[in-house]
Amino acid sequence: MIKDHIYDVSGDWPGNAFLAAGKTNILFDSGMACCGDRLVKNIEGILQGKSLDYVFLTHSHFDHVSGVPYLRAKWPDIKVYIAPHGKMILDKPSALRRIREMNQAAAKDQGVSKVQYRDEDLYADDVLADGQLFRFDEWKITAVETPGHTRDSFSFLIGHDECSRKILLCAETAGVYAGNHCFSPCFLLGYDMSIASMKKMQRLGADLLVFAHTGFAGEDKAEDTWNHCFAEHELAIQRIRTEARKDIPLEEKIEHLAVYYWPEELRKYQPYEAYAVNMKSMLEH
């Protein structure tokens, strides 16, 4: 089963970095800098001396890209892919400074005294194109452009030669989804854009779905997951639109929505400030 070849190697938030292990070894996302050493150790435990070959990044937010310098220190020959807009962001010194600031704040939340990496090691080697197919030994990976959370969001359809089923690693555009236990919308650029990207993901026909920060969906059938996820998004937009119409300060609107979208399951990984920034964007868009 293809799931047997995919490992959660997250150093920080469970479900934040996945390793496809085999003759060729591929990492999807890399987490925060303060947990980069743990990420590397987790990968080493799976690879047992073999090399990490490729890294695919779903988007350029600091909690998805900042493990890259730690990976380069251990495996200097890795090749890192991201969307064109994401590469442009990582090529900007001002963006790297902001990413470092966010990593330092996250380190404080994690009880880590400081982050240690070089800004010049946080870069992508090449860019992705919508529908681009990669063939690495037993792995077949299709990059799918799915904006909505960010302009540079990509999802990845993952196939394996020995398995009939396929996995879709969903961009955060689909939200942080864990069934009945937890759901947080992430349509920072707009609801309609995100729904269109989710429908594009659904049409790919993957058998198993992986969501950002929460991992594999709990439902047995992907279609059941999509139905539930779309329903959660419809409920979210109704709540957000209702709150947006109220004649009260923005901060109060954000606090009211935190009851639904900053639950206990997220609080140990997501600072309130990060939740507030995301919700502010959704209220505005």
Side-chain angles (χ1 to χ4, degrees):
M1 185 175 181
I2 189 168
K3 195 173 179 180
D4 296 334
H5 302 278
I6 305 289
Y7 300 86
D8 185 344
V9 291
S10 306
D12 44 18
W13 189 330
N16 214 22
F18 282 88
L19 175 69
K23 294 178 182 177
T24 299
N25 299 296
I26 308 154
L27 184 70
F28 297 90
D29 279 346
S30 66
M32 299 185 293
C34 61
C35 306
D37 289 330
R38 270 181 277 165
L39 172 71
V40 170
K41 287 181 180 179
N42 290 343
I43 295 171
E44 285 182 302
I46 301 298
L47 296 187
Q48 294 293 303
K50 294 190 291 184
S51 65
L52 179 66
D53 302 298
Y54 298 95
V55 179
F56 286 87
L57 300 172
T58 59
H59 62 293
S60 56
H61 278 177
F62 88 100
D63 56 334
H64 292 259
V65 304
S66 299
V68 167
Y70 297 83
L71 300 171
R72 290 194 186 280
K74 177 63 182 178
W75 298 284
D77 294 330
I78 59 168
K79 187 169 184 178
V80 179
Y81 287 89
I82 198 170
H85 184 70
K87 188 175 190 306
M88 182 182 71
I89 289 172
L90 296 182
D91 286 342
K92 290 183 177 181
S94 59
L96 293 177
R97 285 195 296 272
R98 178 58 178 157
I99 288 172
R100 178 172 289 276
E101 289 171 359
M102 297 179 78
N103 273 309
Q104 288 170 339
K108 184 177 180 181
D109 287 338
Q110 294 280 328
V112 178
S113 58
K114 59 182 177 178
V115 293
Q116 296 179 328
Y117 70 91
R118 303 190 312 165
D119 285 348
E120 54 264 39
D121 292 331
L122 181 47
Y123 66 92
D125 300 282
D126 208 344
V127 297
L128 302 163
D130 187 27
Q132 186 174 4
L133 176 63
F134 296 86
R135 184 75 192 204
F136 304 125
D137 291 314
E138 68 270 57
W139 295 109
K140 181 179 179 182
I141 298 167
T142 305
V144 185
E145 189 174 20
T146 47
H149 178 59
T150 61
R151 178 179 168 184
D152 61 349
S153 291
F154 264 76
S155 302
F156 299 100
L157 185 65
I158 306 168
H160 188 283
D161 282 347
E162 297 177 3
C163 309
S164 59
R165 308 182 86 191
K166 294 182 179 180
I167 290 173
L168 180 65
L169 194 146
C170 301
E172 203 164 338
T173 296
V176 175
Y177 173 82
N180 294 324
H181 304 292
C182 171
F183 171 75
S184 181
C186 297
F187 42 87
L188 306 188
L189 295 187
Y191 178 77
D192 292 338
M193 182 189 296
S194 289
I195 292 298
S197 287
M198 288 169 59
K199 290 179 178 178
K200 184 177 181 180
M201 295 182 212
Q202 184 183 28
R203 289 195 297 270
L204 294 171
D207 304 286
L208 299 168
L209 304 177
V210 178
F211 287 85
H213 304 303
T214 52
F216 281 93
E219 294 86 354
D220 293 331
K221 296 181 180 179
E223 199 61 26
D224 291 339
T225 302
W226 284 123
N227 290 339
H228 194 178
C229 195
F230 279 113
E232 289 284 2
H233 274 83
E234 179 61 29
L235 180 59
I237 196 62
Q238 290 174 9
R239 286 171 172 162
I240 291 170
R241 284 173 175 162
T242 296
E243 204 64 39
R245 295 187 189 103
K246 294 180 180 179
D247 186 20
I248 59 175
L250 177 62
E251 290 75 15
E252 289 186 27
K253 298 175 183 181
I254 292 171
E255 288 177 8
H256 294 170
L257 290 163
V259 173
Y260 307 105
Y261 302 119
W262 194 57
E264 288 293 337
E265 292 89 344
L266 295 184
R267 291 181 186 182
K268 58 184 175 180
Y269 303 116
Q270 183 186 46
Y272 183 82
E273 292 77 9
Y275 153 76
V277 168
N278 287 353
M279 186 54 69
K280 178 178 182 290
S281 180
M282 287 186 280
L283 282 162
E284 292 173 345
H285 287 93

